[in-house]
């Protein structure tokens, strides 16, 4: 079944789209996605392939997650999400996910999987793993730590998101600035008072990108007030 999946992907390859994606996902030397290989298959098509092979065993998903090909890793995560949702043994899948954090190594892979697997599981379990991930030296583990909290935000639980945002406040990477700002914005959409309380404490030392993402949905006068006050 795994060989058939790989053949399906080869048949769907689009070299022009692949070239565009390799630029978009920063795959050049020294960039965050260095070495990532794209086949040029759009996400809705990948979801269709994942549904076709949703019964793959974890050992086969491991093979896909070890792949240099981006679409193989993303499809394995789509399958893993489906299996997680249907499983009576969710911890096994979460442990598998955590074992593979270094293979979940581009921002779309993190964003599409972390809330739905790790975040969902931690709604009713000990969340200390998120704080370990937040203090990792690995970019993707740090992004997983904050994106997983999206599941909490959707359930009106904000404290872990805010604590992890504070841990990551001085991170140097743009992808962390965007992720933290995004989660703060999502908190604000649920309760702007909670977000503003955090911002009033921290906005002056926030990276500019983080602040812009965080206040994107504010009324224009308030948004300008934060931006001008930071200068």
């Amino acid at each position: 079944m795994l060989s058939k999946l790989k053949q399906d992907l080869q048949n769907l390859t689009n070299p022009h789209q692949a070239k565009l994606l390799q630029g978009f996902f920063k795959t050049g030397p020294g960039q965050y996605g260095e070495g990532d290989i794209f086949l040029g298959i759009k996400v809705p098509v990948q979801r269709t392939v994942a549904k076709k092979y949703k019964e793959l065993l974890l050992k086969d998903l491991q093979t896909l997650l070890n792949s240099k090909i981006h679409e193989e890793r993303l499809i394995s995560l789509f399958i893993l999400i489906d299996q997680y949702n249907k499983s009576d043994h969710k911890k096994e899948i979460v442990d598998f996910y955590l074992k593979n954090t270094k293979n979940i190594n581009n921002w779309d892979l993190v964003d599409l999987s972390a809330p739905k697997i790790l975040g969902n599981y931690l709604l009713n379990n000990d969340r200390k793993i998120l704080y370990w991930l937040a203090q990792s030296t690995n970019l993707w583990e740090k992004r997983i730590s904050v994106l997983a909290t999206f599941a909490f935000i959707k359930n009106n639980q904000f404290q872990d998101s805010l604590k992890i945002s504070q841990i990551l406040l001085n991170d140097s990477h743009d992808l962390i600035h965007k992720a933290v700002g995004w989660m703060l914005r999502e908190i604000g959409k649920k309760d702007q008072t909670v977000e503003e309380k955090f911002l009033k404490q921290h906005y002056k030392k926030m990276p500019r990108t983080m602040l812009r993402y965080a206040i994107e949905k504010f009324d224009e006068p308030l948004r300008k007030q934060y931006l001008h006050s930071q200068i």
Side-chain angles (χ1 to χ4, degrees):
M1 188 177 285
L2 183 59
S3 60
K4 288 182 179 179
L5 184 156
K6 286 175 173 284
Q7 186 58 56
D8 283 355
L9 294 183
Q10 289 301 319
N11 293 339
L12 291 165
T13 297
N14 181 328
H16 175 70
Q17 181 73 8
K19 186 175 181 180
L20 293 175
L21 290 171
Q22 290 192 196
F24 184 69
F25 284 96
K26 308 296 184 186
T27 62
Q31 294 181 312
Y32 63 73
E34 182 177 358
D36 210 351
I37 298 168
F38 283 81
L39 299 178
I41 304 169
K42 293 184 177 180
V43 171
V45 178
Q46 292 183 63
R47 290 187 185 276
T48 299
V49 173
K51 287 178 183 177
K52 181 177 177 181
Y53 295 98
K54 63 184 179 181
E55 305 298 335
L56 280 182
L57 300 175
L58 285 184
K59 66 180 182 65
D60 293 325
L61 296 183
Q62 184 67 67
T63 299
L64 292 174
L65 279 170
N66 289 340
S67 173
K68 293 283 189 183
I69 297 173
H70 190 97
E71 287 88 346
E72 291 189 2
R73 301 199 307 285
L74 183 53
I75 285 171
S76 72
L77 291 169
F78 285 149
I79 295 171
L80 198 65
I81 291 166
D82 182 71
Q83 292 185 2
Y84 172 84
N85 289 335
K86 295 173 180 175
S87 178
D88 294 326
H89 305 283
K90 295 186 186 300
K91 187 177 185 300
E92 179 185 1
I93 292 175
V94 170
D95 288 345
F96 177 81
Y97 184 85
L98 289 170
K99 187 180 77 172
N100 279 284
T101 51
K102 289 179 174 61
N103 292 325
I104 305 166
N105 57 353
N106 217 312
W107 57 262
D108 61 325
L109 305 179
V110 171
D111 298 1
L112 291 169
S113 64
K116 293 182 178 179
I117 296 177
L118 184 58
N120 181 277
Y121 180 75
L122 294 179
L123 278 170
N124 299 301
N125 289 282
D126 189 323
R127 300 175 183 180
K128 64 184 178 183
I129 183 64
L130 293 183
Y131 295 88
W132 183 85
L133 292 170
Q135 296 178 77
S136 170
T137 57
N138 180 276
L139 167 63
W140 308 114
E141 290 183 338
K142 287 186 284 189
R143 190 164 173 113
I144 286 170
S145 76
V146 68
L147 259 295
T149 71
F150 200 177
F152 311 161
I153 295 168
K154 289 178 179 178
N155 284 270
N156 297 303
Q157 300 175 24
F158 308 133
Q159 286 309 304
D160 289 291
S161 299
L162 295 172
K163 288 177 182 177
I164 289 170
S165 293
Q166 189 167 352
I167 291 170
L168 296 173
L169 205 61
N170 297 314
D171 194 87
S172 62
H173 205 289
D174 184 64
L175 286 178
I176 299 302
H177 302 169
K178 291 176 179 177
V180 170
W182 175 18
M183 291 303 100
L184 291 173
R185 183 178 74 217
E186 293 301 322
I187 290 172
K189 285 161 67 174
K190 290 280 192 177
D191 190 330
Q192 189 167 319
T193 302
V194 172
E195 183 188 359
E196 284 209 69
K197 182 179 178 181
F198 182 88
L199 288 177
K200 285 172 183 174
Q201 293 175 349
H202 302 293
Y203 81 95
K204 286 192 175 180
K205 57 186 176 184
M206 272 185 180
R208 193 75 165 173
T209 297
M210 186 185 294
L211 179 61
R212 285 186 177 277
Y213 269 63
I215 63 177
E216 186 179 15
K217 298 298 181 181
F218 285 9
D219 291 338
E220 188 66 12
L222 182 59
R223 198 178 69 81
K224 286 184 176 179
Q225 182 180 326
Y226 273 104
L227 288 173
H228 292 158
S229 298
Q230 195 192 44
I231 297 171

